[in-house]
Amino acid sequence: MSEKIVVGIIGLEFGRAHLEGALAYGAEIGLICDCDEKSLRFAGEKYDIPEEKWTLDYHDIINNKEINAVSIGIPDQLHKQVAIEMLEAGKHVLCEKPLALTKEDVTEIVRAAKKSNRKFMVGQICRFTPSFVKTKELIDNGTLGEIYFVESEYAHDYMNIVSNKQNWRSDDARHGVIGGGCHAVDLLRWLVGDPEEVFAYGTHKCLPTVTYDDSTIAIMKFPGDIAGKVYVSTGCKRDYTMRTVIYGTKGTIICDNTSPTMQLFVADENGVAPEKPEIIELEINNHNFVKEFEVFADAIVNDTVVATSAEEGAKTVAACIAIVESATTGKIVKPDYNFD
């Protein structure tokens, strides 16, 4: 039986994009919530949400029986508490990435999601980015042959963000690999599977206001004898990118999430690659929140499986935690995917 979507939006920094996705889908807005009154008013007025649907207290969403779905776009450190409270109140949940920052917290969320029997979706937005969707299609249809090496990077200069110690992203508990690099890790997990072991090395030369490494490189072993690399830099002096390269026995893809084209090399019958790649034109849309919310809502309405479930989000965090541990200890680490 289908369900009408009445959604509560919690957090109006990232949440404004979720609100736009909900409106594009045609969901009814039950309440919008933020602890900052200026942010709340800005969003309410911008999207013509009547003032009686504004609240400074997310518990009003819990207590609103008409609201059956929530979007959580608040600081990562708060995901566990709010997500579990919403699940216990019987709400379907769309939670921003990363699911949480520790193994203990993601485990609690996974358990709560299973117990609730509600739909739980983690906002791993790269899975809706047009260039990466096309990459997944070309891998799955065999265009590249057998994949043997994959690499992705998360390059994003946090200097202006973390110079303000009041900003939640400047919290040392939010390691750059987990908070931002989870994008690149989740992307490779989606494309070729869960990394079985990682070895990482980190340096700290660019962001003096944080204690964690601001540049980390991780070598990963994936299923099927696939090697991989993830590079995370939160102090790099360049524009934001998630440059990604996929190498197969028949072809290679070079793409990112901020360009209108991607490159595809496909070998001829003699196994020789062309001198110039095929250029595939794409919509950029590197934060495709409209599609993300559509998938979330359709899972509720049609009772389908959510691909980026709580457990999927937890696996990405577990792989990120393994990278941080390896960079700290200098040892190979096997990610712990047990959330029972």
Side-chain angles (χ1 to χ4, degrees):
M1 182 178 177
S2 65
E3 244 185 290
K4 177 183 177 182
I5 306 298
V6 181
V7 64
I9 307 292
I10 307 173
L12 294 170
E13 181 179 355
F14 290 114
R16 285 201 302 273
H18 291 194
L19 176 56
E20 290 177 0
L23 291 169
Y25 180 82
E28 179 181 336
I29 308 303
L31 287 170
I32 59 172
C33 175
D34 199 287
C35 61
D36 181 78
E37 190 169 357
K38 289 183 179 179
S39 295
L40 184 62
R41 178 168 295 278
F42 176 83
E45 292 178 350
K46 178 178 175 64
Y47 298 103
D48 295 321
I49 308 298
E51 197 163 347
E52 62 266 22
K53 292 189 175 184
W54 305 357
T55 181
L56 295 166
D57 185 352
Y58 74 89
H59 291 95
D60 291 337
I61 292 177
I62 291 175
N63 296 326
N64 188 313
K65 303 302 182 184
E66 292 185 2
I67 294 175
N68 59 359
V70 295
S71 160
I72 298 176
I74 57 179
D76 307 337
Q77 301 90 326
L78 304 176
H79 285 179
K80 183 192 77 170
Q81 176 181 335
V82 177
I84 291 177
E85 287 186 49
M86 293 297 159
L87 289 168
E88 290 176 344
K91 316 293 188 185
H92 303 287
V93 176
L94 168 59
C95 182
E96 258 299 336
K97 66 80 210 163
L99 178 60
L101 299 177
T102 68
K103 176 69 184 319
E104 294 75 18
D105 282 0
V106 297
T107 298
E108 286 190 48
I109 296 172
V110 169
R111 290 172 177 170
K114 289 180 178 178
K115 183 178 179 180
S116 73
N117 198 31
R118 300 285 86 185
K119 301 296 180 184
F120 193 104
M121 180 174 176
V122 184
Q124 304 289 174
I125 200 68
C126 289
R127 301 194 188 199
F128 304 103
T129 300
S131 60
F132 299 148
V133 171
K134 185 65 176 178
T135 296
K136 175 69 168 172
E137 175 190 321
L138 292 168
I139 291 172
D140 289 349
N141 70 19
T143 298
L144 304 184
E146 184 179 359
I147 306 303
Y148 62 88
F149 180 68
V150 296
E151 63 176 322
S152 186
E153 65 184 47
Y154 176 82
H156 190 177
D157 187 1
Y158 279 18
M159 180 60 80
N160 288 334
I161 297 172
V162 299
S163 61
N164 176 10
K165 292 302 290 182
Q166 302 305 310
N167 188 292
W168 60 272
R169 283 170 290 193
S170 67
D171 185 349
D172 289 330
R174 188 184 186 267
H175 194 290
V177 168
I178 303 173
C182 64
H183 277 308
V185 172
D186 187 75
L187 175 61
L188 295 189
R189 282 191 56 248
W190 181 47
L191 296 178
V192 295
D194 298 331
E196 297 169 345
E197 59 184 36
V198 305
F199 179 78
Y201 178 75
T203 62
H204 185 188
K205 297 179 182 292
C206 295
L207 297 178
T209 60
V210 300
T211 60
Y212 57 77
D213 290 336
D214 50 47
S215 180
T216 304
I217 184 168
I219 304 302
M220 299 175 155
K221 178 183 177 182
F222 288 92
D225 198 26
I226 298 173
K229 180 182 78 173
V230 165
Y231 176 61
V232 178
S233 177
T234 52
C236 57
K237 305 311 167 189
R238 60 154 302 165
D239 57 336
Y240 166 68
T241 186
M242 277 191 60
R243 184 176 184 273
T244 299
V245 186
I246 310 298
Y247 292 90
T249 55
K250 295 181 180 179
T252 301
I253 290 172
I254 303 173
C255 65
D256 61 55
N257 61 337
T258 58
S259 301
T261 62
M262 62 189 292
Q263 299 178 52
L264 171 64
F265 294 85
V266 178
D268 62 20
E269 63 274 10
N270 297 314
V272 179
E275 292 184 3
K276 295 182 178 180
E278 175 187 351
I279 303 299
I280 301 174
E281 295 186 355
L282 302 151
E283 179 187 11
I284 296 177
N285 205 351
N286 66 341
H287 286 76
N288 192 356
F289 291 107
V290 170
K291 183 63 177 178
E292 180 182 75
F293 193 89
E294 177 186 322
V295 170
F296 173 58
D298 283 350
I300 297 170
V301 171
N302 300 312
D303 193 24
T304 56
V305 175
V306 176
T308 53
S309 64
E311 187 166 7
E312 275 291 292
K315 285 184 176 182
T316 293
V317 172
C320 291
I321 289 172
I323 292 172
V324 175
E325 181 182 342
S326 178
T328 302
T329 63
K331 298 178 180 180
I332 294 173
V333 176
K334 296 180 182 296
D336 181 3
Y337 299 124
N338 179 17
F339 309 107
D340 294 332

